[in-house]
Amino acid sequence: MTLLISDTFTDSLGRLSADEQKAAKTTAFDLQVNPTAPGLAFHKLDRSKDKCFWSVRVNADIRLIVHRTEGSLLLCYVGHHEDAYRWAERRRLEVHPRTGAAQIVELRETVQEIIVPQYVEESRPVPPKALLFRGCSDEELLAYGVPTEWIGDVRQATEDTLLDLADHLPAEATEALLNIAVGKKPLAPAAAASTGSDPFAHPDAQRRFRVMATAEELEQALSYPWDKWTVFLHPSQRDLAERDFGGPARVAGSAGTGKTIVALHRAVNLARKDPGARVLLTTFSEPLAAALRTRLRRLICAEPRLAERIDIASLPEIGQRLYTAAFGKPALASAGEVAAVMQRVAGEKAGPLGLRFLLGEWDSVVDAWQLRSWPEYRDFARLGRKSRLSEKQRAAAWSVFEAVQSSLSGSGLITSSELFTRLAGHIAALPRTPFDHAVVDESQDLSVAQLRFLGALGGGRPNGVFFAGDLGQRIFQQAFSWKVLGIDIRGRCKTLKINYRTSQQIRAQADRLLAAELSDVDGNTEERNGTVSVLNGPPPTIRRFKGAEQEIAAVATWLEGCVADRLAPHEVGLFVRSEGQLARAEAAARRASLPYRVLDQRVETLGGFAAVGTMHLAKGLEFRAVVVMACDDQVLPSAERIASAAEDSDLDEVFSTERHLLYVACTRARDRLLVTGTEPVSEFLDDLL
């Protein structure tokens, strides 16, 4: 008998207490080992419209709902006795009459009225122009996966009722309707299954049902929430993961649209298609690389040999590893060491330019682009730097930079930019590069030298290098031209538009922090309009307080509400701009009696503990509920960063990346978001409202 598991089961499992989850998992394992064992107490649900729904006793109060046929057993739901029975009585498993995909459909007659067909104040019908899907035929709606009995409600949907309606529909139907509602043509529906084919094998069904072939697969499925272990690819994502590109390519999209999943699948697909190839899957930090390793294990658990040819490492790690193999172990100069050398040298040579300007010029121009001679610096365009320098001023600045380079070299130190630039030159001269393909996640935060290195790895080969990133989440690196470095992605860019992680309400409000269209230096654009979320939830809460004590008390009350609604501690994150505000977040967690751990650079979240950390450490994480605290004036944007800006371009960069930082923190939330600050609050909060 085939054992399957549904996303509705793992979602319901996550709402139980730890002891209840343990008991439910034990019963699930027993079902896989022997579903006909005498000790398993099956009970037929006579009141359910679907006569294949049965309950299985977990303990005195917990019941597991299964759909049992002669050849399969589907785990559908688990909950307290009455709750589980009510769930089963309101649903049935059916094969969609047009698509052929298996769906768990909510019975229309069991749902409280959703559509309000009249304007109460005027007692007249809704005008036809307010009906969002008046131009869609029944056949078209069915083709997109709308269940037959919900067609009438869809036809009556307006902007005010669509999101409530979407909660009751399968994901593929929700995506299509949301796209139509915002004026976008939905992706072509997946091909209808042929008569007699497996309804669980249809692409739409694979996003919600999975076959559990082994005990190990079942253990994985029960150890992680559905959205953390599913490897379903939407058709738009699958095309990017499998397509052959004639040169460098990039997938973009706002937070939660599945860019990382595309990157993972692309790395695996490249390894499958080219049995002799070595694939590098990389990102800018070690914590994110560790998360990629975990996801890859889940993705290829049935093909462990593939992992031997997919190297997952952060860019700093892989850079140092390859550099050591080629030149010996590097001694990297820290930012503090460079600043100290600059201060010592500049005291003698800086003149009127000032130390702050020289440090900015070093970071953005001289070291970033590895300018090693006076003619190179004299003729460099300095794109993005607004302070114009005469040749005399450039000469004075170069005398400082030359002295800094000489001092670092004399001490045996190199910068990260020097490491990657030297490594790029070495790799370009090799008859074969260390990797045949490179896939790069979070590419918006690549440095100039890192991109040079990746360009050398890709070598202009088809499928040589693939980037995944979001310009709206650039928080570490200044913008620069990729084309100048030989990475021309024009015509090979794709923006994902379906958000799987963040609710429609949170996504729409967070998007107010960013422009509707973002462009890189080379003119490649990312349109943020038209993105839709498949999740629905309450609107974010934005609050301002007179003082920190009032803020802490209000946040604690909000956290207590999350706990009362059975959110586990590890499903909650609290973020602040910098370490100076961590005490406020910790105080709120303590007052709410919420166990927590403060994140460090390893960014490891722990089961049973809420995560407290700075916004920079929020990158790559996700939670059901998020609090972004201490969004005060002089805190966000950082007064320290503003003071360090040497010229207008630096100041523009500060405001841009600080705004992106708040966007990153807010979009870590799936269902609930609270953003707070004390008077005077950050100017960014007004943009969120």
Side-chain angles (χ1 to χ4, degrees), residues 307-318:
E308 298 174 5
R309 294 188 291 110
I310 302 175
D311 198 334
I312 302 181
S314 67
L315 275 164
E317 179 195 345
I318 196 66

Side-chain angles (χ1 to χ4, degrees), residues 214-353:
T214 65
E216 290 74 19
E217 286 187 21
L218 180 59
E219 183 177 10
Q220 266 193 339
L222 299 181
S223 297
Y224 301 99
W226 183 268
D227 57 353
K228 287 185 180 292
W229 67 267
T230 185
V231 293
F232 168 81
L233 277 177
H234 191 277
S236 64
Q237 297 172 326
R238 183 174 299 280
D239 173 63
L240 290 166
E242 298 179 354
R243 186 194 302 183
D244 286 324
F245 291 100
R250 182 172 74 187
V251 59
S254 60
T257 51
K259 299 179 297 296
T260 297
I261 293 297
V262 169
L264 279 164
H265 276 269
R266 183 157 184 87
V268 170
N269 186 62
L270 289 168
R272 280 199 190 110
K273 287 201 306 185
D274 188 351
R278 286 187 55 79
V279 180
L280 173 65
L281 178 57
T282 187
T283 187
F284 70 85
S285 75
E286 181 52 38
L288 293 181
L292 287 174
R293 292 187 196 101
T294 300
R295 291 188 176 191
L296 183 73
R297 285 196 296 270
R298 297 173 199 156
L299 178 58
I300 59 173
C301 57
E303 303 174 89
R305 296 297 297 271
L306 278 180
E308 298 174 5
R309 294 188 291 110
I310 302 175
D311 198 334
I312 302 181
S314 67
L315 275 164
E317 179 195 345
I318 196 66
Q320 291 191 48
R321 189 200 309 170
L322 294 177
Y323 188 96
T324 299
F327 306 109
K329 187 174 182 180
L332 287 173
S334 68
E337 288 173 317
V338 172
V341 173
M342 183 80 71
Q343 185 171 21
R344 174 172 55 80
V345 172
E348 308 164 4
K349 302 175 179 288
L353 293 175

Side-chain angles (χ1 to χ4, degrees), residues 69-142:
T69 66
E70 184 177 340
S72 68
L73 189 69
L74 171 66
L75 306 184
C76 298
Y77 190 83
V78 63
H80 296 272
H81 184 282
E82 293 302 321
D83 172 51
Y85 279 29
R86 279 195 302 271
W87 185 92
E89 290 165 8
R90 294 175 59 180
R91 290 165 176 83
R92 66 168 172 256
L93 180 72
E94 63 181 36
V95 176
H96 191 276
R98 291 294 184 275
T99 69
Q103 298 177 332
I104 292 180
V105 176
E106 198 165 3
L107 300 176
R108 182 62 189 86
E109 67 266 21
T110 67
V111 179
Q112 185 177 359
E113 194 66 30
I114 297 171
I115 304 302
V116 181
Q118 292 184 335
Y119 287 120
V120 175
E121 69 274 20
E122 299 180 14
S123 297
R124 60 184 178 83
V126 176
K129 66 179 181 180
L131 302 177
L132 295 174
F133 309 108
R134 62 187 181 278
C136 299
S137 67
D138 287 359
E139 286 299 316
E140 184 178 0
L141 295 176
L142 286 169

Side-chain angles (χ1 to χ4, degrees), residues 413-523:
L413 298 175
I414 65 170
T415 65
S416 175
S417 293
E418 187 176 354
L419 179 148
F420 279 105
T421 300
R422 189 176 177 190
L423 191 56
H426 170 74
I427 289 173
L430 294 175
R432 181 179 178 182
T433 60
F435 297 97
D436 300 285
H437 310 281
V439 179
V440 188
D441 195 25
E442 303 291 354
S443 62
Q444 72 279 349
D445 279 308
L446 290 172
S447 71
V448 172
Q450 288 171 341
L451 191 63
R452 268 198 180 119
F453 160 71
L454 291 165
L457 277 182
R461 298 186 306 274
N463 299 323
V465 60
F466 181 87
F467 302 95
D470 174 16
L471 295 178
Q473 297 185 64
R474 183 177 60 83
I475 58 178
F476 290 107
Q477 297 292 338
Q478 287 193 326
F480 61 90
S481 172
W482 285 25
K483 196 167 64 171
V484 166
L485 295 172
I487 307 295
D488 190 354
I489 56 175
R490 290 175 300 174
R492 292 185 292 272
C493 296
K494 172 74 173 179
T495 301
L496 298 175
K497 293 290 188 179
I498 301 173
N499 188 305
Y500 297 96
R501 186 183 70 210
T502 304
S503 74
Q504 181 79 355
Q505 291 81 357
I506 294 173
R507 182 204 58 75
Q509 205 143 354
D511 275 353
R512 295 176 186 176
L513 291 166
L514 307 175
E517 183 177 279
L518 298 177
S519 299
D520 63 19
V521 175
D522 297 320

Side-chain angles (χ1 to χ4, degrees), residues 96 158 275 379 639:
H96 191 276
T158 66
D379 300 334

